[in-house]
DNA sequence: GCGTAGGCATAAATTCAAATTATCCTTTTT
DNA sequence: AAAAAGGATAATTTGAATTTATGCCTACGC
């Protein structure tokens, strides 16, 4: 037998076998792999056909390894572990540092609350990198970025984080102080629609009221929390504040906006699976 | 770090790396893998992007492993070897027995002459299984079969072996014995066009001449070789005889036929790569 | 005993990653 | 110089693998 070449047994099938064997369930293996139960079932079906043996006994509501499967598993695991460990050691890739670059507000209001779940799901060590607003799009080394825009991103992986919906909110303490329209208006510089748009769309009287301007959503939010006025807030971002009762909405109307934050992934640095895990965890309505 | 899961580094890329590293050339790796140079180049490009390092130094007309590549290679090989060996030991799959089922004539006239190359290319231990004509299509365990027909096969892998072209041939010794049309006609029972068709198509006089009938092409061929008459032979099958001068053609006309032998592969038992190697070796005009 | 839920298999349809094709570029050889 | 060898790259095509949508079976609850 010549020593050249390793025969072509699709290794993704082997991976599916390992996961199913270890977890004792196709469904569980599917979850771990970010695939569907159907995919696992088929992979293993193919594997068995190619190998010419049953690897699993399909019992009701559970599967068991056959003798063949039992015999094969340790070797498969050894190979997979060896590969994973050496790769990790040399390149620090496998389940290692994942840097997410985003604005301070997104970091604080969107990522931090989801950090725990994210770390758990991805198994990675997460680093949040605050984007420097002034520096534009300096090439950072983050594999994942969050940017505001309308979606024409030149990257392969891109998904809107949430649907931008704006509505006025105030600290509960201010509720008794007469009509909210008369309160000082807090606004945040940036790309989001302004009070001007709000008034135009909802026929709110444009009575001149005092304004306070902030350069970050977080700052404006802090002011609102402190009872300094009414903030035209991004509802998804302040959901936690609303839930906690630190802020309350004062109008039913909602101002929508076509621009929003996008989750952007560097395709060459992320596997399909990693991307799915990330977006599943971070995108509104997916998790 | 949880012990669950092996991160998703596409293992086919790793295989490409191993082959290229071992062979010292992308082109050579492509050949071994039955892929194109382009495919190998891309796989390794992706791998490097994902890993975040160069694995090879691209020099003119050759490649060299970088330090990273050098360090990684042994681990990769260990994993791949472990997997291959255990799989082979348990299931005897990898580069093992390959049974080809065909008629006696095809075995003798088509497969045997190509056996050596086939064994070398596929790295498999080949078994030729003579199909029993009488038994119809009994399910044999051969992963590869050769059958006569017009191509409507219910298998995924199917390719015509050659284009059927018939023409009269005789042993050289008979050439002096007057017009070949007056020689006894040898014919083979079976699906191929008969002398009748030949005469109709070429306006050969249908002068009644003596006939000898055989139940296999091989038998008829032997008779022709022995100078017992003129055989309406399948040219691709007797090419070797013609080349060796044991038979000669007596007419320029060629009778074509839409039916021919097909190479059929059981998709679930053959990898794409194996199939390509086989068909590349066995199909006329490919090798 | 039935009904329901959990888990795998299967068919059909879709998706998208990966392969091929076709050039281009660079370097070595004659 | 011209040709050959080997690799990179862009564009296109292909087809394998995934998903979606069911179906089926069995254990378990009531």
């Amino acid at each position: 037998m010549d020593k050249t070449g390793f025969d072509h047994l699709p290794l993704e099938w082997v991976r599916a076998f390992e996961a199913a064997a270890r977890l004792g369930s196709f469904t569980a293996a599917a979850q771990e792999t970010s695939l569907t139960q159907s995919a696992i079932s088929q992979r293993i079906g193919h594997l068995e056909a190619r190998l010419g043996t049953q690897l699993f006994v399909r019992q009701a509501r559970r599967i068991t390894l056959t003798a063949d499967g039992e015999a094969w598993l340790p070797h498969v695991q050894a190979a997979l572990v060896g590969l994973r460990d050496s790769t990790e050691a040399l390149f620090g890739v496998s389940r290692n540092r994942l840097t997410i670059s985003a604005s301070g507000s997104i970091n604080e209001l969107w990522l931090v609350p989801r950090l725990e779940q994210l770390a758990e799901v991805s198994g990675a060590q997460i680093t949040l990198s605050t984007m420097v607003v002034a520096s534009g799009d300096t090439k950072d080394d983050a594999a994942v970025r969050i940017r505001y825009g309308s979606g024409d991103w030149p990257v392969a992986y891109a998904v809107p984080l949430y649907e931008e919906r704006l509505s006025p909110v105030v600290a509960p303490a201010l509720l008794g102080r007469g009509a909210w329209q008369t309160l000082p208006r807090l606004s945040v510089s940036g790309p989001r629609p302004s009070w001007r748009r709000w008034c135009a769309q909802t026929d709110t009287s444009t009575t001149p009221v005092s304004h306070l301007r902030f350069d970050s959503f977080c700052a404006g939010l802090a002011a609102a929390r402190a009872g300094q006025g009414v903030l035209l807030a991004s509802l998804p971002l302040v959901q936690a504040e609303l839930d906690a009762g630190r802020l309350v909405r004062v109008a039913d109307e909602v101002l929508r906006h076509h621009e929003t934050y996008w989750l952007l992934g560097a395709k060459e640095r992320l596997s399909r699976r990693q991307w799915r895990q990330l977006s599943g965890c971070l995108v509104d309505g997916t998790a």
Side-chain angles (χ1 to χ4, degrees), chain A residues 80-96:
Chain A
L80 257 25
V81 168
L83 201 53
R84 180 191 62 179
D85 289 352
S86 63
T87 308
E88 221 166 320
L90 277 169
F91 309 106
V93 168
S94 285
R95 48 181 62 260
N96 256 359

Side-chain angles (χ1 to χ4, degrees), chain A residues 5-33:
Chain A
F6 299 96
D7 223 34
H8 196 87
L9 209 186
L11 293 176
E12 303 306 326
W13 299 358
V14 179
R15 245 207 272 258
F17 163 73
E18 194 280 334
R22 173 162 39 78
L23 299 170
S25 150
F26 288 10
T27 305
Q31 286 187 305
E32 179 180 285
T33 329

